[in-house]
Amino acid sequence: MSPRTPGADLPEHPDLLWHDREPKRSYDVVIVGGGGHGLATAHYLAKDHGITNVAVLEKGWLGGGNMARNTTIIRSNYLWDESSGIYEHSLKLWEGLEEDLGYPILFSQRGVLNLAHTLQDVRDSVRRVEANKLNGVDAEWLDPDEVRKICPIVNTSGDIRYPVLGATYQPRAGIAKHDYVAWGFARRADEAGIDLIQDCEVTGFTTDGDRVTGVRTTRGDIATGSVALCAAGHTSVLTDLLGIPVPVQSHPLQALVSELLEPVHPTVVMSNAVHVYVSQAHKGELVMGAGVDSYNGYGQRGAFSIIERQMAAAVELFPVFARAHLLRTWGGIVDTSPDASPIVGRTPYENVWLNCGWGTGGFKATPGIGSTLAHTIAHGEPHPLVAPFTLERFITGALVDEHGAAAVAH
Amino acid sequence: MQLIACPWCGPREEVEFSYGGQAHVPHPAAPADLSDEEWAHYVFFRANPKGRFAERWNHSAGCRRWFNAVRDTATYRFEAVYRLDEPRPVTP
């Protein structure tokens, strides 16, 4: 038999959603990080501002970090005006995103319940509902009977360790298919002529006074007009190269899925006090997230004791889950900030823009930060919705303290 | 489960310990003289390296004593543990 080319008998490769480009020598804008935030920023730079001489540099593969690892919860029921501004802007963009991207993202507005288990939880929750209403964000306070009507499998009996005393409800909240979101943004950015470059790690910066002139990468030096850092858990690695102190700490955050089950869970449930958040993906897995592992870590894995504690809480709240089987657990790296709010905007380098500190809640912000960071880069001036989230606020004291106020660690 | 070697009790399970963040951050010698920026750095800013990190741990469900460790934040491997009155050991 004559030798055959391996794969010669396979069908033609289907059309690619995007192309893996070679880096050029120079760009107007370099975005470091090819996750949700980086890809969304690229899309809005092209769509809203006509800026397409842009590279997105990704050290691994596109959308393979936290974008592939999060629990996909989307909501905007934050306490403070600054937070509800950016998160509600994001939620509104989610509501039109399938149309904008021309790509299905399985955005499902099934609502989110944030459970209250103590009297203090109840007071904080009612306050947050009122704050949300004043900010035009849909929010309701529900008593345990109303909670049961929306999500019949929640254990609302008084006979558990942390009884459910009620919940806040945001009907417009929901979930989306995270991979599709990354692919949708990547496809549109690629169509616009933006270079998506994988396997390209930034190893340094070249500077001239208070400007960065280029990035050094594992695939050569690239000159650039401006830089946007969208590296989430690896932000400190980049800012250390630039000598910019940034008050974030990287922690492992774990999540897990069960095997596929019949639809049992109609909404999203989050509980701050017992630290679990659960939804059911379209395919049928229960998707659950935990709290962060306490120590600093870049390992994309965490301790099993965290999963164990989370399962105990989930089974107490949802007795029906006791017979479900765990299929997979994994971890991502989240960059937490001192006030649980993001850090976006200026750095000591006039053409380097910071976007970090989203902690455990960056996914929901994907289109919101993409559009506002693109605006910021295009105008050389922070967009009004991100203006409160400066690095300087840790010096001036103008913190946006969302610790606990907006439910579970985001 | 990861074992952590408490300098007083020996190797114990990770769940017995709590984390204290970056080690060797001294309280300012002259607090009244600090600028807002210096205070901010003392209160909010901590190193966040990928790799070796000198950090504080407390054996909270054991002897309840604090100690320091050098740990690799990428692999989670403890390279050294040492008492608070000992200097940071030189790790290979």
Side-chain angles (χ1 to χ4, degrees), chain A residues 307-331:
Chain A
I307 299 286
E308 208 174 5
R309 197 182 314 157
Q310 175 195 2
M311 288 298 84
V315 171
E316 176 95 337
L317 271 180
F318 301 91
V320 69
F321 291 175
R323 288 183 177 276
H325 295 105
L326 182 73
L327 190 65
R328 257 174 328 118
T329 77
W330 64 89

mmCIF file with all atom_site columns, all heavy atoms in Angstrom, chain A residues 307-331:
data_model
loop_
_atom_site.group_PDB
_atom_site.id
_atom_site.type_symbol
_atom_site.label_atom_id
_atom_site.label_alt_id
_atom_site.label_comp_id
_atom_site.label_asym_id
_atom_site.label_entity_id
_atom_site.label_seq_id
_atom_site.pdbx_PDB_ins_code
_atom_site.Cartn_x
_atom_site.Cartn_y
_atom_site.Cartn_z
_atom_site.occupancy
_atom_site.B_iso_or_equiv
_atom_site.pdbx_formal_charge
_atom_site.auth_seq_id
_atom_site.auth_comp_id
_atom_site.auth_asym_id
_atom_site.auth_atom_id
_atom_site.pdbx_PDB_model_num
ATOM 1   N N   . ILE A 1 307 ? -14.414 22.515 48.555 1.00 0.00 ? 307 ILE A N   1
ATOM 2   C CA  . ILE A 1 307 ? -15.495 21.858 47.823 1.00 0.00 ? 307 ILE A CA  1
ATOM 3   C C   . ILE A 1 307 ? -16.408 21.100 48.790 1.00 0.00 ? 307 ILE A C   1
ATOM 4   O O   . ILE A 1 307 ? -17.637 21.139 48.679 1.00 0.00 ? 307 ILE A O   1
ATOM 5   C CB  . ILE A 1 307 ? -14.903 20.854 46.801 1.00 0.00 ? 307 ILE A CB  1
ATOM 6   C CG1 . ILE A 1 307 ? -14.024 21.574 45.779 1.00 0.00 ? 307 ILE A CG1 1
ATOM 7   C CG2 . ILE A 1 307 ? -15.997 20.041 46.113 1.00 0.00 ? 307 ILE A CG2 1
ATOM 8   C CD1 . ILE A 1 307 ? -14.761 22.375 44.765 1.00 0.00 ? 307 ILE A CD1 1
ATOM 9   N N   . GLU A 1 308 ? -15.782 20.464 49.764 1.00 0.00 ? 308 GLU A N   1
ATOM 10  C CA  . GLU A 1 308 ? -16.537 19.680 50.740 1.00 0.00 ? 308 GLU A CA  1
ATOM 11  C C   . GLU A 1 308 ? -17.501 20.576 51.524 1.00 0.00 ? 308 GLU A C   1
ATOM 12  O O   . GLU A 1 308 ? -18.681 20.257 51.699 1.00 0.00 ? 308 GLU A O   1
ATOM 13  C CB  . GLU A 1 308 ? -15.530 19.026 51.695 1.00 0.00 ? 308 GLU A CB  1
ATOM 14  C CG  . GLU A 1 308 ? -15.986 17.743 52.300 1.00 0.00 ? 308 GLU A CG  1
ATOM 15  C CD  . GLU A 1 308 ? -14.867 17.106 53.120 1.00 0.00 ? 308 GLU A CD  1
ATOM 16  O OE1 . GLU A 1 308 ? -13.781 17.720 53.277 1.00 0.00 ? 308 GLU A OE1 1
ATOM 17  O OE2 . GLU A 1 308 ? -15.084 15.994 53.600 1.00 0.00 ? 308 GLU A OE2 1
ATOM 18  N N   . ARG A 1 309 ? -17.000 21.712 51.961 1.00 0.00 ? 309 ARG A N   1
ATOM 19  C CA  . ARG A 1 309 ? -17.815 22.650 52.736 1.00 0.00 ? 309 ARG A CA  1
ATOM 20  C C   . ARG A 1 309 ? -18.963 23.196 51.865 1.00 0.00 ? 309 ARG A C   1
ATOM 21  O O   . ARG A 1 309 ? -20.104 23.340 52.304 1.00 0.00 ? 309 ARG A O   1
ATOM 22  C CB  . ARG A 1 309 ? -16.934 23.800 53.229 1.00 0.00 ? 309 ARG A CB  1
ATOM 23  C CG  . ARG A 1 309 ? -17.558 24.598 54.359 1.00 0.00 ? 309 ARG A CG  1
ATOM 24  C CD  . ARG A 1 309 ? -16.651 25.756 54.765 1.00 0.00 ? 309 ARG A CD  1
ATOM 25  N NE  . ARG A 1 309 ? -15.260 25.340 54.911 1.00 0.00 ? 309 ARG A NE  1
ATOM 26  C CZ  . ARG A 1 309 ? -14.216 26.175 54.824 1.00 0.00 ? 309 ARG A CZ  1
ATOM 27  N NH1 . ARG A 1 309 ? -14.407 27.447 54.594 1.00 0.00 ? 309 ARG A NH1 1
ATOM 28  N NH2 . ARG A 1 309 ? -12.980 25.725 54.963 1.00 0.00 ? 309 ARG A NH2 1
ATOM 29  N N   . GLN A 1 310 ? -18.642 23.451 50.621 1.00 0.00 ? 310 GLN A N   1
ATOM 30  C CA  . GLN A 1 310 ? -19.633 23.991 49.701 1.00 0.00 ? 310 GLN A CA  1
ATOM 31  C C   . GLN A 1 310 ? -20.735 22.966 49.439 1.00 0.00 ? 310 GLN A C   1
ATOM 32  O O   . GLN A 1 310 ? -21.917 23.298 49.372 1.00 0.00 ? 310 GLN A O   1
ATOM 33  C CB  . GLN A 1 310 ? -18.894 24.346 48.426 1.00 0.00 ? 310 GLN A CB  1
ATOM 34  C CG  . GLN A 1 310 ? -19.725 24.807 47.297 1.00 0.00 ? 310 GLN A CG  1
ATOM 35  C CD  . GLN A 1 310 ? -18.908 24.760 46.020 1.00 0.00 ? 310 GLN A CD  1
ATOM 36  O OE1 . GLN A 1 310 ? -17.748 24.338 46.023 1.00 0.00 ? 310 GLN A OE1 1
ATOM 37  N NE2 . GLN A 1 310 ? -19.497 25.180 44.950 1.00 0.00 ? 310 GLN A NE2 1
ATOM 38  N N   . MET A 1 311 ? -20.348 21.691 49.314 1.00 0.00 ? 311 MET A N   1
ATOM 39  C CA  . MET A 1 311 ? -21.333 20.630 49.087 1.00 0.00 ? 311 MET A CA  1
ATOM 40  C C   . MET A 1 311 ? -22.241 20.475 50.296 1.00 0.00 ? 311 MET A C   1
ATOM 41  O O   . MET A 1 311 ? -23.446 20.242 50.165 1.00 0.00 ? 311 MET A O   1
ATOM 42  C CB  . MET A 1 311 ? -20.628 19.291 48.828 1.00 0.00 ? 311 MET A CB  1
ATOM 43  C CG  . MET A 1 311 ? -19.945 19.177 47.487 1.00 0.00 ? 311 MET A CG  1
ATOM 44  S SD  . MET A 1 311 ? -21.105 19.328 46.117 1.00 0.00 ? 311 MET A SD  1
ATOM 45  C CE  . MET A 1 311 ? -21.203 21.066 45.958 1.00 0.00 ? 311 MET A CE  1
ATOM 46  N N   . ALA A 1 312 ? -21.661 20.605 51.487 1.00 0.00 ? 312 ALA A N   1
ATOM 47  C CA  . ALA A 1 312 ? -22.479 20.498 52.701 1.00 0.00 ? 312 ALA A CA  1
ATOM 48  C C   . ALA A 1 312 ? -23.551 21.583 52.679 1.00 0.00 ? 312 ALA A C   1
ATOM 49  O O   . ALA A 1 312 ? -24.726 21.326 52.982 1.00 0.00 ? 312 ALA A O   1
ATOM 50  C CB  . ALA A 1 312 ? -21.590 20.630 53.935 1.00 0.00 ? 312 ALA A CB  1
ATOM 51  N N   . ALA A 1 313 ? -23.159 22.799 52.299 1.00 0.00 ? 313 ALA A N   1
ATOM 52  C CA  . ALA A 1 313 ? -24.110 23.909 52.249 1.00 0.00 ? 313 ALA A CA  1
ATOM 53  C C   . ALA A 1 313 ? -25.160 23.667 51.172 1.00 0.00 ? 313 ALA A C   1
ATOM 54  O O   . ALA A 1 313 ? -26.358 23.895 51.376 1.00 0.00 ? 313 ALA A O   1
ATOM 55  C CB  . ALA A 1 313 ? -23.364 25.213 51.967 1.00 0.00 ? 313 ALA A CB  1
ATOM 56  N N   . ALA A 1 314 ? -24.727 23.167 50.012 1.00 0.00 ? 314 ALA A N   1
ATOM 57  C CA  . ALA A 1 314 ? -25.658 22.961 48.904 1.00 0.00 ? 314 ALA A CA  1
ATOM 58  C C   . ALA A 1 314 ? -26.700 21.908 49.260 1.00 0.00 ? 314 ALA A C   1
ATOM 59  O O   . ALA A 1 314 ? -27.893 22.074 48.964 1.00 0.00 ? 314 ALA A O   1
ATOM 60  C CB  . ALA A 1 314 ? -24.888 22.546 47.646 1.00 0.00 ? 314 ALA A CB  1
ATOM 61  N N   . VAL A 1 315 ? -26.281 20.850 49.904 1.00 0.00 ? 315 VAL A N   1
ATOM 62  C CA  . VAL A 1 315 ? -27.227 19.769 50.240 1.00 0.00 ? 315 VAL A CA  1
ATOM 63  C C   . VAL A 1 315 ? -28.191 20.203 51.332 1.00 0.00 ? 315 VAL A C   1
ATOM 64  O O   . VAL A 1 315 ? -29.359 19.816 51.337 1.00 0.00 ? 315 VAL A O   1
ATOM 65  C CB  . VAL A 1 315 ? -26.450 18.477 50.618 1.00 0.00 ? 315 VAL A CB  1
ATOM 66  C CG1 . VAL A 1 315 ? -27.383 17.435 51.185 1.00 0.00 ? 315 VAL A CG1 1
ATOM 67  C CG2 . VAL A 1 315 ? -25.713 17.934 49.394 1.00 0.00 ? 315 VAL A CG2 1
ATOM 68  N N   . GLU A 1 316 ? -27.711 21.052 52.230 1.00 0.00 ? 316 GLU A N   1
ATOM 69  C CA  . GLU A 1 316 ? -28.611 21.585 53.266 1.00 0.00 ? 316 GLU A CA  1
ATOM 70  C C   . GLU A 1 316 ? -29.684 22.473 52.635 1.00 0.00 ? 316 GLU A C   1
ATOM 71  O O   . GLU A 1 316 ? -30.862 22.390 52.962 1.00 0.00 ? 316 GLU A O   1
ATOM 72  C CB  . GLU A 1 316 ? -27.770 22.383 54.275 1.00 0.00 ? 316 GLU A CB  1
ATOM 73  C CG  . GLU A 1 316 ? -28.572 23.076 55.349 1.00 0.00 ? 316 GLU A CG  1
ATOM 74  C CD  . GLU A 1 316 ? -28.672 22.266 56.628 1.00 0.00 ? 316 GLU A CD  1
ATOM 75  O OE1 . GLU A 1 316 ? -28.516 21.024 56.565 1.00 0.00 ? 316 GLU A OE1 1
ATOM 76  O OE2 . GLU A 1 316 ? -28.899 22.879 57.688 1.00 0.00 ? 316 GLU A OE2 1
ATOM 77  N N   . LEU A 1 317 ? -29.286 23.285 51.693 1.00 0.00 ? 317 LEU A N   1
ATOM 78  C CA  . LEU A 1 317 ? -30.222 24.211 51.061 1.00 0.00 ? 317 LEU A CA  1
ATOM 79  C C   . LEU A 1 317 ? -31.109 23.515 50.033 1.00 0.00 ? 317 LEU A C   1
ATOM 80  O O   . LEU A 1 317 ? -32.245 23.908 49.805 1.00 0.00 ? 317 LEU A O   1
ATOM 81  C CB  . LEU A 1 317 ? -29.461 25.329 50.351 1.00 0.00 ? 317 LEU A CB  1
ATOM 82  C CG  . LEU A 1 317 ? -29.125 26.574 51.142 1.00 0.00 ? 317 LEU A CG  1
ATOM 83  C CD1 . LEU A 1 317 ? -28.385 27.538 50.249 1.00 0.00 ? 317 LEU A CD1 1
ATOM 84  C CD2 . LEU A 1 317 ? -30.380 27.226 51.696 1.00 0.00 ? 317 LEU A CD2 1
ATOM 85  N N   . PHE A 1 318 ? -30.546 22.513 49.358 1.00 0.00 ? 318 PHE A N   1
ATOM 86  C CA  . PHE A 1 318 ? -31.271 21.789 48.301 1.00 0.00 ? 318 PHE A CA  1
ATOM 87  C C   . PHE A 1 318 ? -31.188 20.294 48.607 1.00 0.00 ? 318 PHE A C   1
ATOM 88  O O   . PHE A 1 318 ? -30.347 19.595 48.034 1.00 0.00 ? 318 PHE A O   1
ATOM 89  C CB  . PHE A 1 318 ? -30.642 22.038 46.922 1.00 0.00 ? 318 PHE A CB  1
ATOM 90  C CG  . PHE A 1 318 ? -30.592 23.469 46.498 1.00 0.00 ? 318 PHE A CG  1
ATOM 91  C CD1 . PHE A 1 318 ? -29.481 24.246 46.786 1.00 0.00 ? 318 PHE A CD1 1
ATOM 92  C CD2 . PHE A 1 318 ? -31.637 24.047 45.800 1.00 0.00 ? 318 PHE A CD2 1
ATOM 93  C CE1 . PHE A 1 318 ? -29.430 25.570 46.381 1.00 0.00 ? 318 PHE A CE1 1
ATOM 94  C CE2 . PHE A 1 318 ? -31.582 25.368 45.391 1.00 0.00 ? 318 PHE A CE2 1
ATOM 95  C CZ  . PHE A 1 318 ? -30.479 26.129 45.689 1.00 0.00 ? 318 PHE A CZ  1
ATOM 96  N N   . PRO A 1 319 ? -32.060 19.775 49.486 1.00 0.00 ? 319 PRO A N   1
ATOM 97  C CA  . PRO A 1 319 ? -31.958 18.362 49.878 1.00 0.00 ? 319 PRO A CA  1
ATOM 98  C C   . PRO A 1 319 ? -31.994 17.428 48.664 1.00 0.00 ? 319 PRO A C   1
ATOM 99  O O   . PRO A 1 319 ? -31.392 16.357 48.681 1.00 0.00 ? 319 PRO A O   1
ATOM 100 C CB  . PRO A 1 319 ? -33.184 18.160 50.774 1.00 0.00 ? 319 PRO A CB  1
ATOM 101 C CG  . PRO A 1 319 ? -33.504 19.526 51.287 1.00 0.00 ? 319 PRO A CG  1
ATOM 102 C CD  . PRO A 1 319 ? -33.120 20.489 50.205 1.00 0.00 ? 319 PRO A CD  1
ATOM 103 N N   . VAL A 1 320 ? -32.667 17.851 47.586 1.00 0.00 ? 320 VAL A N   1
ATOM 104 C CA  . VAL A 1 320 ? -32.807 17.006 46.406 1.00 0.00 ? 320 VAL A CA  1
ATOM 105 C C   . VAL A 1 320 ? -31.447 16.740 45.743 1.00 0.00 ? 320 VAL A C   1
ATOM 106 O O   . VAL A 1 320 ? -31.273 15.770 45.010 1.00 0.00 ? 320 VAL A O   1
ATOM 107 C CB  . VAL A 1 320 ? -33.813 17.646 45.413 1.00 0.00 ? 320 VAL A CB  1
ATOM 108 C CG1 . VAL A 1 320 ? -33.248 18.914 44.802 1.00 0.00 ? 320 VAL A CG1 1
ATOM 109 C CG2 . VAL A 1 320 ? -34.229 16.685 44.333 1.00 0.00 ? 320 VAL A CG2 1
ATOM 110 N N   . PHE A 1 321 ? -30.448 17.582 46.034 1.00 0.00 ? 321 PHE A N   1
ATOM 111 C CA  . PHE A 1 321 ? -29.126 17.401 45.428 1.00 0.00 ? 321 PHE A CA  1
ATOM 112 C C   . PHE A 1 321 ? -28.333 16.253 46.052 1.00 0.00 ? 321 PHE A C   1
ATOM 113 O O   . PHE A 1 321 ? -27.272 15.885 45.545 1.00 0.00 ? 321 PHE A O   1
ATOM 114 C CB  . PHE A 1 321 ? -28.267 18.665 45.551 1.00 0.00 ? 321 PHE A CB  1
ATOM 115 C CG  . PHE A 1 321 ? -28.733 19.828 44.721 1.00 0.00 ? 321 PHE A CG  1
ATOM 116 C CD1 . PHE A 1 321 ? -28.108 21.061 44.824 1.00 0.00 ? 321 PHE A CD1 1
ATOM 117 C CD2 . PHE A 1 321 ? -29.791 19.707 43.831 1.00 0.00 ? 321 PHE A CD2 1
ATOM 118 C CE1 . PHE A 1 321 ? -28.528 22.143 44.072 1.00 0.00 ? 321 PHE A CE1 1
ATOM 119 C CE2 . PHE A 1 321 ? -30.225 20.788 43.074 1.00 0.00 ? 321 PHE A CE2 1
ATOM 120 C CZ  . PHE A 1 321 ? -29.592 22.007 43.206 1.00 0.00 ? 321 PHE A CZ  1
ATOM 121 N N   . ALA A 1 322 ? -28.836 15.708 47.166 1.00 0.00 ? 322 ALA A N   1
ATOM 122 C CA  . ALA A 1 322 ? -28.040 14.726 47.910 1.00 0.00 ? 322 ALA A CA  1
ATOM 123 C C   . ALA A 1 322 ? -27.691 13.518 47.051 1.00 0.00 ? 322 ALA A C   1
ATOM 124 O O   . ALA A 1 322 ? -26.681 12.859 47.274 1.00 0.00 ? 322 ALA A O   1
ATOM 125 C CB  . ALA A 1 322 ? -28.782 14.296 49.167 1.00 0.00 ? 322 ALA A CB  1
ATOM 126 N N   . ARG A 1 323 ? -28.534 13.215 46.060 1.00 0.00 ? 323 ARG A N   1
ATOM 127 C CA  . ARG A 1 323 ? -28.274 12.030 45.233 1.00 0.00 ? 323 ARG A CA  1
ATOM 128 C C   . ARG A 1 323 ? -27.562 12.355 43.923 1.00 0.00 ? 323 ARG A C   1
ATOM 129 O O   . ARG A 1 323 ? -27.314 11.476 43.113 1.00 0.00 ? 323 ARG A O   1
ATOM 130 C CB  . ARG A 1 323 ? -29.587 11.293 44.944 1.00 0.00 ? 323 ARG A CB  1
ATOM 131 C CG  . ARG A 1 323 ? -30.104 10.589 46.174 1.00 0.00 ? 323 ARG A CG  1
ATOM 132 C CD  . ARG A 1 323 ? -31.349 9.793  45.895 1.00 0.00 ? 323 ARG A CD  1
ATOM 133 N NE  . ARG A 1 323 ? -31.756 9.092  47.108 1.00 0.00 ? 323 ARG A NE  1
ATOM 134 C CZ  . ARG A 1 323 ? -31.264 7.935  47.500 1.00 0.00 ? 323 ARG A CZ  1
ATOM 135 N NH1 . ARG A 1 323 ? -30.347 7.328  46.792 1.00 0.00 ? 323 ARG A NH1 1
ATOM 136 N NH2 . ARG A 1 323 ? -31.678 7.372  48.609 1.00 0.00 ? 323 ARG A NH2 1
ATOM 137 N N   . ALA A 1 324 ? -27.256 13.624 43.724 1.00 0.00 ? 324 ALA A N   1
ATOM 138 C CA  . ALA A 1 324 ? -26.508 13.990 42.511 1.00 0.00 ? 324 ALA A CA  1
ATOM 139 C C   . ALA A 1 324 ? -25.042 13.629 42.689 1.00 0.00 ? 324 ALA A C   1
ATOM 140 O O   . ALA A 1 324 ? -24.544 13.547 43.811 1.00 0.00 ? 324 ALA A O   1
ATOM 141 C CB  . ALA A 1 324 ? -26.654 15.482 42.237 1.00 0.00 ? 324 ALA A CB  1
ATOM 142 N N   . HIS A 1 325 ? -24.384 13.386 41.574 1.00 0.00 ? 325 HIS A N   1
ATOM 143 C CA  . HIS A 1 325 ? -22.960 13.065 41.634 1.00 0.00 ? 325 HIS A CA  1
ATOM 144 C C   . HIS A 1 325 ? -22.116 14.198 41.088 1.00 0.00 ? 325 HIS A C   1
ATOM 145 O O   . HIS A 1 325 ? -22.474 14.811 40.075 1.00 0.00 ? 325 HIS A O   1
ATOM 146 C CB  . HIS A 1 325 ? -22.664 11.793 40.845 1.00 0.00 ? 325 HIS A CB  1
ATOM 147 C CG  . HIS A 1 325 ? -23.304 10.586 41.418 1.00 0.00 ? 325 HIS A CG  1
ATOM 148 N ND1 . HIS A 1 325 ? -24.406 9.999  40.851 1.00 0.00 ? 325 HIS A ND1 1
ATOM 149 C CD2 . HIS A 1 325 ? -23.022 9.872  42.525 1.00 0.00 ? 325 HIS A CD2 1
ATOM 150 C CE1 . HIS A 1 325 ? -24.780 8.970  41.584 1.00 0.00 ? 325 HIS A CE1 1
ATOM 151 N NE2 . HIS A 1 325 ? -23.953 8.867  42.615 1.00 0.00 ? 325 HIS A NE2 1
ATOM 152 N N   . LEU A 1 326 ? -21.013 14.416 41.755 1.00 0.00 ? 326 LEU A N   1
ATOM 153 C CA  . LEU A 1 326 ? -20.050 15.409 41.296 1.00 0.00 ? 326 LEU A CA  1
ATOM 154 C C   . LEU A 1 326 ? -19.349 14.872 40.057 1.00 0.00 ? 326 LEU A C   1
ATOM 155 O O   . LEU A 1 326 ? -18.900 13.733 40.030 1.00 0.00 ? 326 LEU A O   1
ATOM 156 C CB  . LEU A 1 326 ? -19.037 15.621 42.418 1.00 0.00 ? 326 LEU A CB  1
ATOM 157 C CG  . LEU A 1 326 ? -17.958 16.654 42.201 1.00 0.00 ? 326 LEU A CG  1
ATOM 158 C CD1 . LEU A 1 326 ? -18.561 18.037 42.305 1.00 0.00 ? 326 LEU A CD1 1
ATOM 159 C CD2 . LEU A 1 326 ? -16.872 16.489 43.239 1.00 0.00 ? 326 LEU A CD2 1
ATOM 160 N N   . LEU A 1 327 ? -19.298 15.709 39.011 1.00 0.00 ? 327 LEU A N   1
ATOM 161 C CA  . LEU A 1 327 ? -18.645 15.256 37.793 1.00 0.00 ? 327 LEU A CA  1
ATOM 162 C C   . LEU A 1 327 ? -17.222 15.802 37.708 1.00 0.00 ? 327 LEU A C   1
ATOM 163 O O   . LEU A 1 327 ? -16.281 15.056 37.463 1.00 0.00 ? 327 LEU A O   1
ATOM 164 C CB  . LEU A 1 327 ? -19.462 15.737 36.589 1.00 0.00 ? 327 LEU A CB  1
ATOM 165 C CG  . LEU A 1 327 ? -19.082 15.176 35.231 1.00 0.00 ? 327 LEU A CG  1
ATOM 166 C CD1 . LEU A 1 327 ? -19.334 13.687 35.152 1.00 0.00 ? 327 LEU A CD1 1
ATOM 167 C CD2 . LEU A 1 327 ? -19.868 15.889 34.139 1.00 0.00 ? 327 LEU A CD2 1
ATOM 168 N N   . ARG A 1 328 ? -17.076 17.099 37.932 1.00 0.00 ? 328 ARG A N   1
ATOM 169 C CA  . ARG A 1 328 ? -15.789 17.752 37.744 1.00 0.00 ? 328 ARG A CA  1
ATOM 170 C C   . ARG A 1 328 ? -15.654 18.921 38.689 1.00 0.00 ? 328 ARG A C   1
ATOM 171 O O   . ARG A 1 328 ? -16.644 19.619 38.932 1.00 0.00 ? 328 ARG A O   1
ATOM 172 C CB  . ARG A 1 328 ? -15.719 18.345 36.323 1.00 0.00 ? 328 ARG A CB  1
ATOM 173 C CG  . ARG A 1 328 ? -14.912 17.592 35.350 1.00 0.00 ? 328 ARG A CG  1
ATOM 174 C CD  . ARG A 1 328 ? -14.988 18.124 33.927 1.00 0.00 ? 328 ARG A CD  1
ATOM 175 N NE  . ARG A 1 328 ? -16.194 18.736 33.475 1.00 0.00 ? 328 ARG A NE  1
ATOM 176 C CZ  . ARG A 1 328 ? -16.277 19.996 33.090 1.00 0.00 ? 328 ARG A CZ  1
ATOM 177 N NH1 . ARG A 1 328 ? -15.248 20.790 33.164 1.00 0.00 ? 328 ARG A NH1 1
ATOM 178 N NH2 . ARG A 1 328 ? -17.413 20.471 32.619 1.00 0.00 ? 328 ARG A NH2 1
ATOM 179 N N   . THR A 1 329 ? -14.458 19.180 39.180 1.00 0.00 ? 329 THR A N   1
ATOM 180 C CA  . THR A 1 329 ? -14.173 20.445 39.854 1.00 0.00 ? 329 THR A CA  1
ATOM 181 C C   . THR A 1 329 ? -12.975 21.077 39.169 1.00 0.00 ? 329 THR A C   1
ATOM 182 O O   . THR A 1 329 ? -12.192 20.389 38.536 1.00 0.00 ? 329 THR A O   1
ATOM 183 C CB  . THR A 1 329 ? -13.842 20.271 41.352 1.00 0.00 ? 329 THR A CB  1
ATOM 184 O OG1 . THR A 1 329 ? -12.501 19.799 41.480 1.00 0.00 ? 329 THR A OG1 1
ATOM 185 C CG2 . THR A 1 329 ? -14.794 19.314 42.024 1.00 0.00 ? 329 THR A CG2 1
ATOM 186 N N   . TRP A 1 330 ? -12.858 22.377 39.282 1.00 0.00 ? 330 TRP A N   1
ATOM 187 C CA  . TRP A 1 330 ? -11.717 23.072 38.675 1.00 0.00 ? 330 TRP A CA  1
ATOM 188 C C   . TRP A 1 330 ? -11.507 24.380 39.415 1.00 0.00 ? 330 TRP A C   1
ATOM 189 O O   . TRP A 1 330 ? -12.299 24.746 40.287 1.00 0.00 ? 330 TRP A O   1
ATOM 190 C CB  . TRP A 1 330 ? -11.971 23.322 37.188 1.00 0.00 ? 330 TRP A CB  1
ATOM 191 C CG  . TRP A 1 330 ? -13.110 24.231 36.911 1.00 0.00 ? 330 TRP A CG  1
ATOM 192 C CD1 . TRP A 1 330 ? -13.053 25.590 36.816 1.00 0.00 ? 330 TRP A CD1 1
ATOM 193 C CD2 . TRP A 1 330 ? -14.493 23.866 36.750 1.00 0.00 ? 330 TRP A CD2 1
ATOM 194 N NE1 . TRP A 1 330 ? -14.313 26.093 36.588 1.00 0.00 ? 330 TRP A NE1 1
ATOM 195 C CE2 . TRP A 1 330 ? -15.206 25.063 36.541 1.00 0.00 ? 330 TRP A CE2 1
ATOM 196 C CE3 . TRP A 1 330 ? -15.186 22.659 36.757 1.00 0.00 ? 330 TRP A CE3 1
ATOM 197 C CZ2 . TRP A 1 330 ? -16.587 25.083 36.359 1.00 0.00 ? 330 TRP A CZ2 1
ATOM 198 C CZ3 . TRP A 1 330 ? -16.558 22.679 36.564 1.00 0.00 ? 330 TRP A CZ3 1
ATOM 199 C CH2 . TRP A 1 330 ? -17.253 23.879 36.362 1.00 0.00 ? 330 TRP A CH2 1
ATOM 200 N N   . GLY A 1 331 ? -10.466 25.078 39.068 1.00 0.00 ? 331 GLY A N   1
ATOM 201 C CA  . GLY A 1 331 ? -10.202 26.366 39.698 1.00 0.00 ? 331 GLY A CA  1
ATOM 202 C C   . GLY A 1 331 ? -9.739  27.391 38.685 1.00 0.00 ? 331 GLY A C   1
ATOM 203 O O   . GLY A 1 331 ? -9.172  27.059 37.640 1.00 0.00 ? 331 GLY A O   1
#
